[in-house]
Amino acid sequence: MTQTGDALREMIARELTGARRRTTLLTDSVDEADLVRQHSPLMSPLVWDLAHIANQEELWLLREVGGREPMRPEIDPLYDAFEHPRSERPTLPLLPPAQARAYGREVRGRVLDLLERTRFGDLEHGGLEHGGTRLLGDGFAFGMIAQHEVQHDETMLITHQIRAGGPVLTAGEPGPAPADVLRLPSEVLVPGGPFTMGTSTEPWALDNERPAHAVDVAPFFIDTAPVTCGAYAEFSADGGYDDPRWWTPDGWEHRQRAGLSAPLYWSRDGGQWVRRVFGQTEPVRPEEPVLHVCWYEADAYARWAGRRLPTEAEWEKAARFDPATGLSRRYPWGNADPEAAHANLGQQFLRPAPAGSYPAGAAPCGARQLIGDVWEWTSSDFGPYPGFSAWPYREYSEVFFGPEYKVLRGGSFAVSPVACRGTFRNWDYPVRRQIFSGFRTARSAVPESA
Ligand SMILES: [Fe+2]
């Protein structure tokens, strides 16, 4: 996957430009008042995301890679995510929308100039060892910044979903492909034995995905597709929210305190469930993967169903392990970059595809939609792989390692392909459900007592 300088330069420009197109759409589609307003204490005002994207791009590409002086050093602290929690951000003297846009354009123009002059070709001849060029190896710093921007595009789409008021975004037509879920087995077997988890070769993989290492996984069954709204509604109808047997002690306490009774954005309308989606109310579609559930809800559903959440290693083995070669793939379907037939990515349809869609994206085990559609909660805490080393900065992953965060895998419909792969790891608190989160369940193939 190491590329020549020109091909790499083209790919970087394409990814940066694609990310910016989405950022622009997400921020041009609302008025100034909506840009500066805080729509939830969980989220930044959109205008913060806008200038923060530019500030990170300036910091890593113009300053670290290009050796330039800061353009506006006085604004750095405002856009440092670790200095100010989201709830505080609206009180800061943020750049107003016109200035934030101008700053972003100025940084991007200089970055594209820098890209033109960067001689990636040199790296083919031992470049990684040259002073300071580890950031440039395979264009990593540019890749990191492209991923950072599309991750904020997902964050901004979450803000759009929270925002009150009518619809401002338009979904692509036609919607994602219909599914043949009725003909699919409900679960598939993943064989036991070791597989390679994580990566040491994926050029733009982030530090928490590294290094590749062998993990032994006992045989298990995993759902062919994510749990649907229809199945989840049965859990609710069966009193699942009112029965502490299905909940962990922490989960039950949270369910009581937060008054959980259905996924976020669901409500009853007469005899049916409806949900609010980007400013519109519609009947819940039973065939779609359930969205906006927290880890506690996912875990309780799995117990109710007589199953459990997969571990992170199980999820990755289901997604990547190819028994024919014994190797781990970059994606469930193979090593090729995602195309439209593989997965629902990139905010194109603004919703998950019906469970069982995307046969061309199936993993060797037969599971579908492991990439795209909904982030999938796993049972695992977020931790380092053996041999982990923080890079290029501790705050990317290392400061989040610990039992307070659960790992999510696979990426949602809101994720761009550049920030989505079989090894990609996301993490969040088990109470969070404003994110585009769903899940699938698993069970051990060998009874635990055997
Ligand atoms: Fe950020």
Side-chain angles (χ1 to χ4, degrees):
M1 171 70 194
T2 296
Q3 308 190 50
T4 64
D6 280 348
L8 184 56
R9 204 175 283 114
E10 254 172 55
M11 180 175 84
I12 289 168
R14 197 170 56 238
E15 295 297 350
L16 288 175
T17 305
R20 186 54 49 89
R21 203 177 302 123
R22 195 71 208 169
T23 302
T24 304
L25 192 144
L26 288 164
T27 49
D28 281 0
S29 55
V30 292
D31 60 24
E32 297 247 328
D34 262 350
L35 275 181
V36 300
R37 179 177 300 140
Q38 186 171 43
H39 299 272
S40 155
L42 294 175
M43 309 305 292
S44 314
L46 291 166
V47 76
W48 185 90
D49 289 282
L50 195 54
H52 165 80
I53 287 168
N55 189 242
Q56 287 287 300
E57 185 168 330
E58 190 209 333
L59 217 142
W60 284 102
L61 297 182
L62 297 183
R63 297 188 218 171
E64 288 290 328
V65 172
R68 311 290 165 76
E69 289 300 312
M71 288 163 63
R72 304 188 62 165
E74 76 283 2
I75 66 169
D76 286 353
L78 300 175
Y79 298 105
D80 181 335
F82 287 89
E83 222 161 293
H84 304 285
R86 286 175 175 177
S87 57
E88 245 177 46
R89 291 173 192 166
T91 65
L92 303 172
L94 301 177
L95 297 183
Q99 280 190 47
R101 288 186 173 112
Y103 174 51
R105 274 195 302 271
E106 180 64 32
V107 171
R108 178 54 58 86
R110 295 185 193 192
V111 162
L112 293 177
D113 287 346
L114 175 70
L115 180 61
E116 278 302 305
R117 283 198 300 276
T118 301
R119 298 180 63 202
F120 293 107
D122 294 350
L123 298 171
E124 288 153 31
H125 310 287
L128 286 198
E129 303 314 316
H130 288 302
T133 55
R134 186 177 168 198
L135 266 179
L136 267 188
D138 290 314
F140 177 83
F142 290 92
M144 179 177 79
I145 284 304
Q147 292 180 74
H148 179 254
E149 180 157 352
V150 298
Q151 285 168 341
H152 276 274
D153 291 344
E154 180 172 26
T155 307
M156 290 194 287
L157 192 68
I158 293 169
T159 305
H160 269 264
Q161 167 64 13
I162 292 172
R163 173 188 159 271
V168 294
L169 298 173
T170 312
E173 295 286 345
D180 53 1
V181 68
L182 292 179
R183 296 198 301 277
L184 293 174
S186 66
E187 62 177 6
V188 294
L189 176 67
V190 180
F195 87 107
T196 301
M197 185 171 185
T199 177
S200 300
T201 53
E202 184 70 33
W204 289 359
L206 302 160
D207 61 0
N208 63 57
E209 299 167 67
R210 302 168 185 270
H213 58 289
V215 178
D216 208 351
V217 177
F220 66 100
F221 289 94
I222 191 164
D223 292 341
T224 307
V227 170
T228 62
C229 292
Y232 196 85
E234 285 175 34
F235 163 68
S236 167
D238 194 40
Y241 275 96
D242 302 316
D243 193 337
R245 270 186 303 165
W246 312 132
W247 300 75
T248 61
D250 284 355
W252 183 247
E253 196 196 312
H254 176 67
R255 175 255 168 270
Q256 305 283 77
R257 196 176 48 240
L260 303 184
S261 60
L264 188 59
Y265 305 116
W266 283 31
S267 59
R268 296 296 284 185
D269 181 13
Q272 66 167 354
W273 286 110
V274 295
R275 65 169 195 146
R276 199 166 58 75
V277 190
F278 298 113
Q280 265 171 324
T281 300
E282 61 169 38
V284 164
R285 299 184 186 179
E287 71 281 10
E288 277 187 7
V290 70
L291 195 56
H292 299 300
V293 286
C294 70
W295 187 89
Y296 291 130
E297 289 170 300
D299 178 69
Y301 172 94
R303 282 164 211 268
W304 168 81
R307 300 169 68 83
R308 58 177 175 77
L309 292 178
T311 65
E312 182 182 14
E314 286 174 337
W315 189 97
E316 186 167 323
K317 187 171 185 183
R320 298 183 63 208
F321 180 65
D322 180 0
T325 61
L327 302 176
S328 288
R329 300 168 160 194
R330 294 176 65 218
Y331 300 95
W333 54 85
N335 293 328
D337 288 339
E339 288 173 21
H342 291 133
N344 178 10
L345 294 166
Q347 306 191 1
Q348 209 187 334
F349 303 117
L350 299 178
R351 62 190 316 130
S357 301
Y358 293 98
C365 66
R368 296 188 181 182
Q369 294 169 291
L370 285 152
I371 295 289
D373 291 301
V374 295
W375 283 107
E376 299 183 18
W377 287 111
T378 71
S379 64
S380 302
D381 298 339
F382 186 46
Y385 290 158
F388 168 84
S389 100
W391 192 76
Y393 59 111
R394 279 193 70 236
E395 289 76 12
Y396 189 79
S397 315
E398 193 177 16
V399 298
F400 299 101
F401 290 149
E404 61 268 43
Y405 292 101
K406 296 293 184 190
V407 172
L408 300 108
R409 286 304 205 97
S412 73
F413 65 87
V415 175
S416 161
V418 72
C420 195
R421 50 194 165 261
T423 54
F424 194 94
R425 309 172 75 196
N426 188 6
W427 64 94
D428 216 325
Y429 292 117
V431 299
R432 287 284 189 260
R433 53 188 206 154
Q434 87 280 8
I435 54 177
F436 298 115
S437 51
F439 63 103
R440 73 180 74 209
T441 69
R443 68 181 171 99
S444 302
V446 182
E448 310 290 349
S449 54

